[in-house]
């Protein structure tokens, strides 16, 4: 009895909250009694659950707390949130379907609608959306797009020749002061970068060291008449030793068996490059680091600048009887051979043909050189082999306009595959020379396989 009066006194202290609650309870009862008639079964169920939750919240708010239980307040809050969850998770009553909705198609989001290939009629009133056709690029368009990506960065195209010419000048001044008895001609640069045929990166260039010979003391002997039986190599023979004994020519110190030895000349220059020239001082003057390659058989310099890295290959060169001979002996015991270079004639002929008919031979050559540089298995086809194929085709295919670039590109691939199958690619300037003679059989097979696949799908190379 005492507990009852205590609870009643607390309700009175709350300002008559008990009477308000009793009034709300009667209202809820009336609503529940008439909800089924007004809202239907499902609506009445939702209202009943909501009413039950609200009643529980009110009861907990007005019920006395157990002062001995410190977790009572937290527990009541958790129960209240659970009751509110009942309201959120209660499914909404299905929307009453209208008559107009029965004519609309039902679409399942889980499965995409597959159009009937025989054709289906769109719903009345639906906007007709025309799908944009996918544009497939032709080989011609792909080649022109690819060519724009082959351009050498402008900073390299301007900086590399300038840097190489400065090194060229420093080297010539050194040789003139160190070996004044050797009549070297004026050093000059060579390579695809200077001729506008370089692609991707200007990372290498050639430095030519002209060897000036007295035509009355030297003569040429074709490689066909030597033990190598290779017409691309030549020997430079010292003649008239009876009338002009050794010592009459400053180059007699490089003679081996009466022949000017390319190997001995290269070895002498290699020692000078490695041991005698103060490259750190020259590099500091030019704002770069220069290092001669010690382990290489070739004469080569590695140049590192803040903006470029460059490889410079040095070639002693002899020009006699309309031939350009480089001091590049083949591997083996024969050390007196000089390699005939067709590079100058190749570039001159290609540019001459393009100027005559406004052709795209140089463009085709740049694209093919870029392909060979980007494909490791095709590296040895870049340069002369591709150029000679284009020159051979120019004698049979007259249409070299830019609009026919795709046809000419495809034709060059076919000619390269045919030549690789035979293992023979004849020089345009000397039909006795086989430009594939220095390739291994495995290299020929690998290159032939890559290009054979590209004949049916040229895009594989781009």
């Amino acid at each position: 009895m005492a507990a009852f009066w205590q609870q009643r006194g607390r309700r009175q202290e709350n300002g008559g909250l008990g009477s308000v609650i009793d009034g709300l309870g009667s209202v809820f009862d009336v609503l529940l009694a008439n909800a089924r008639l007004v809202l239907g079964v499902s609506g009445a169920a939702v209202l009943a659950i909501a009413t039950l939750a609200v009643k529980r919240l009110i009861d907990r708010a007005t019920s006395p707390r157990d002062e001995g239980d410190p977790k009572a307040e937290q527990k009541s809050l958790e129960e209240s949130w659970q009751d509110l969850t009942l309201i959120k998770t209660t499914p909404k009553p299905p929307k009453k379907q209208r008559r107009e909705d029965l004519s609309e198609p039902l679409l399942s989001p889980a499965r995409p609608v597959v159009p009937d290939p025989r054709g289906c009629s769109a719903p009345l009133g639906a906007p007709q959306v025309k799908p944009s056709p996918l544009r497939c690029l032709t080989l011609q368009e792909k080649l022109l797009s690819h060519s724009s990506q082959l351009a050498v960065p402008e900073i390299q195209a301007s900086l590399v020749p300038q840097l190489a010419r400065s090194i060229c000048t420093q080297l010539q001044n050194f040789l003139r002061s160190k070996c004044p008895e050797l009549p070297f001609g004026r050093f000059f640069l060579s390579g695809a970068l200077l001729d506008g045929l370089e692609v991707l990166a200007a990372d290498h260039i050639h430095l030519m060291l002209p060897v000036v010979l007295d035509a009355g003391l030297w003569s040429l002997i074709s490689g066909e008449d030597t033990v190598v039986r290779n017409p691309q190599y030549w020997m430079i023979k010292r003649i008239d030793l009876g009338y002009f004994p050794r010592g009459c020519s400053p180059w007699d110190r490089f003679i081996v068996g009466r022949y000017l030895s390319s190997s001995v000349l290269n070895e002498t220059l290699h020692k000078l490059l490695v041991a005698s020239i103060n490259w750190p001082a020259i590099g500091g003057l030019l704002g770069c680091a220069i290092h001669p390659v010690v382990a290489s058989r070739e004469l080569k310099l590695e140049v590192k600048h803040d903006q470029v890295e460059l490889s410079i290959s040095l070639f002693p060169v002899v020009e006699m009887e309309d031939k350009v001979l480089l001091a590049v002996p083949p591997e083996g015991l024969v050390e007196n051979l000089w390699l005939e270079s067709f590079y100058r004639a190749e570039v001159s002929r290609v540019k001459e043909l393009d100027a005559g008919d406004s052709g795209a031979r140089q463009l085709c050559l740049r694209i093919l050189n870029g392909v060979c540089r980007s494909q490791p298995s095709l590296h040895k086809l870049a340069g002369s082999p591709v150029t000679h194929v284009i020159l051979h085709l120019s004698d049979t295919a007259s249409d070299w306009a830019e609009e026919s670039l795709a046809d000419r590109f495809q034709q060059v691939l076919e000619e390269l595959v045919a030549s690789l199958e035979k293992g023979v690619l004849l020089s345009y300037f000397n039909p006795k020379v086989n430009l594939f003679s220095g390739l291994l059989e495995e290299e020929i097979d690998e290159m032939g396989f890559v290009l054979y696949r590209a004949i049916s799908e040229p895009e594989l190379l781009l």
Side-chain angles (χ1 to χ4, degrees):
M1 192 70 175
F4 170 76
W5 287 109
Q6 184 178 4
Q7 181 176 0
R8 183 177 180 182
R10 289 179 179 176
R11 291 183 178 179
Q12 289 178 354
E13 291 175 359
N14 289 335
L17 182 61
S19 60
V20 174
I21 294 173
D22 293 339
L24 290 175
S26 60
V27 172
F28 289 151
D29 293 338
V30 174
L31 289 175
L32 291 177
N34 297 286
R36 185 170 181 178
L37 297 175
V38 177
L39 302 177
V41 177
S42 59
V46 174
L47 181 60
I49 295 175
T51 303
L52 177 61
V54 173
K55 280 187 175 182
R56 288 183 182 180
L57 290 174
I58 296 174
D59 291 341
R60 290 194 186 105
T62 57
S63 62
R65 297 179 181 176
D66 189 357
E67 298 178 356
D69 188 3
K71 298 183 179 180
E73 182 178 356
Q74 180 179 0
K75 183 176 180 181
S76 61
L77 289 175
E78 292 177 355
E79 292 176 351
S80 301
W81 283 112
Q82 293 175 0
D83 292 338
L84 289 176
T85 306
L86 292 175
I87 302 176
K88 292 183 179 180
T89 57
T90 303
K92 296 181 179 181
K95 181 182 177 181
K96 184 177 181 181
Q97 196 170 31
R98 298 175 302 170
R99 183 180 298 273
E100 303 87 79
D101 298 335
L102 297 178
S103 61
E104 297 180 359
L106 297 178
L107 300 179
S108 175
R111 297 180 59 186
V113 178
V114 179
D116 188 359
R118 296 171 298 179
C120 57
S121 58
L124 294 177
Q128 298 292 334
V129 180
K130 295 182 179 181
S132 58
L134 295 178
R135 183 169 179 262
C136 297
L137 296 178
T138 63
L139 177 59
Q140 175 81 9
E141 294 171 329
K142 291 180 180 179
L143 289 174
L144 293 176
S145 175
H146 183 72
S147 66
S148 62
Q149 304 172 10
L150 299 176
V152 177
E154 185 177 354
I155 184 63
Q156 295 184 13
S158 60
L159 179 59
V160 166
Q162 178 182 355
L163 187 60
R165 288 189 181 96
S166 299
I167 295 174
C168 177
T169 301
Q170 294 294 328
L171 180 59
Q172 177 142 34
N173 293 338
F174 169 81
L175 288 179
R176 283 178 177 176
S177 61
K178 183 72 174 179
C179 309
E181 74 281 1
L182 295 179
F184 282 105
R186 184 176 181 82
F187 295 1
F188 63 93
L189 301 177
S190 178
L193 176 63
L194 302 177
D195 297 312
L197 299 176
E198 187 61 272
V199 292
L200 298 179
D203 54 1
H204 66 283
I205 200 167
H206 296 160
L207 175 53
M208 317 304 288
L209 317 179
V211 176
V212 180
L213 298 178
D214 187 347
L217 301 178
W218 305 91
S219 64
L220 298 182
I221 298 178
S222 174
E224 285 185 293
D225 301 329
T226 66
V227 293
V228 296
R229 299 297 179 185
N230 190 336
Q232 192 172 1
Y233 286 95
W234 294 79
M235 299 182 74
I236 304 175
K237 185 178 181 180
R238 178 68 158 83
I239 59 176
D240 293 336
L241 286 174
Y243 296 98
F244 304 99
R246 288 195 178 192
C248 293
S249 173
W251 303 104
D252 286 344
R253 56 186 287 192
F254 303 105
I255 288 178
V256 176
R258 297 186 63 177
Y259 296 96
L260 183 61
S261 174
S262 55
S263 296
V264 175
L265 180 57
N266 281 337
E267 290 172 3
T268 302
L269 292 174
H270 190 274
K271 292 178 182 178
L272 292 175
L273 292 176
V274 173
S276 301
I277 303 180
N278 189 354
W279 290 115
I282 296 177
L285 180 65
L286 301 178
C288 61
I290 306 174
H291 302 284
V293 180
V294 179
S296 175
R297 294 178 67 248
E298 302 177 358
L299 303 175
K300 185 176 293 186
L301 301 174
E302 296 293 342
V303 182
K304 292 186 178 180
H305 191 271
D306 292 339
Q307 296 175 311
V308 295
E309 292 189 4
L310 176 64
S311 175
I312 301 179
S313 298
L314 283 68
F315 294 101
V317 55
V318 172
E319 297 188 33
M320 287 184 64
E321 301 177 8
D322 298 330
K323 292 178 175 54
V324 179
L325 307 179
L326 304 181
V328 184
E331 296 183 3
L333 300 177
V334 182
E335 58 182 11
N336 299 332
L337 296 176
W338 294 70
L339 177 67
E340 183 176 7
S341 172
F342 301 107
Y343 177 77
R344 186 185 301 174
E346 294 165 5
V347 175
S348 176
R349 182 59 177 165
V350 169
K351 291 186 176 181
E352 179 185 353
L353 291 172
D354 273 353
D357 58 8
S358 301
R361 295 172 184 82
Q362 296 176 74
L363 177 59
C364 185
L365 180 58
R366 282 196 296 268
I367 295 175
L368 288 166
N369 281 339
V371 167
C372 292
R373 288 196 64 178
S374 61
Q375 299 276 345
S377 60
L378 302 179
H379 279 180
K380 292 189 176 182
L381 284 182
S384 288
V386 172
T387 306
H388 284 252
V389 171
I390 290 178
L391 290 176
H392 282 301
L393 284 177
S394 297
D395 293 340
T396 57
S398 58
D399 185 8
W400 281 89
E402 187 175 293
E403 292 77 11
S404 302
L405 177 62
D407 295 335
R408 299 290 81 81
F409 181 84
Q410 185 90 20
Q411 198 171 1
V412 170
L413 296 182
E414 295 173 358
E415 291 295 327
L416 281 172
V417 171
S419 299
L420 289 169
E421 287 178 350
K422 297 181 294 185
V424 177
L425 176 57
L426 300 181
S427 169
Y428 182 79
F429 302 99
N430 187 355
K432 297 180 181 179
V433 175
N434 177 17
L435 299 179
F436 287 165
S437 61
L439 297 178
L440 300 176
E441 185 176 353
E442 294 79 7
E443 295 173 335
I444 291 178
D445 291 341
E446 185 176 6
M447 290 187 291
F449 175 74
V450 173
L451 294 179
Y452 181 78
R453 291 180 56 202
I455 288 179
S456 57
E457 296 182 73
E459 295 81 0
L460 295 175
L461 300 177
L462 303 179

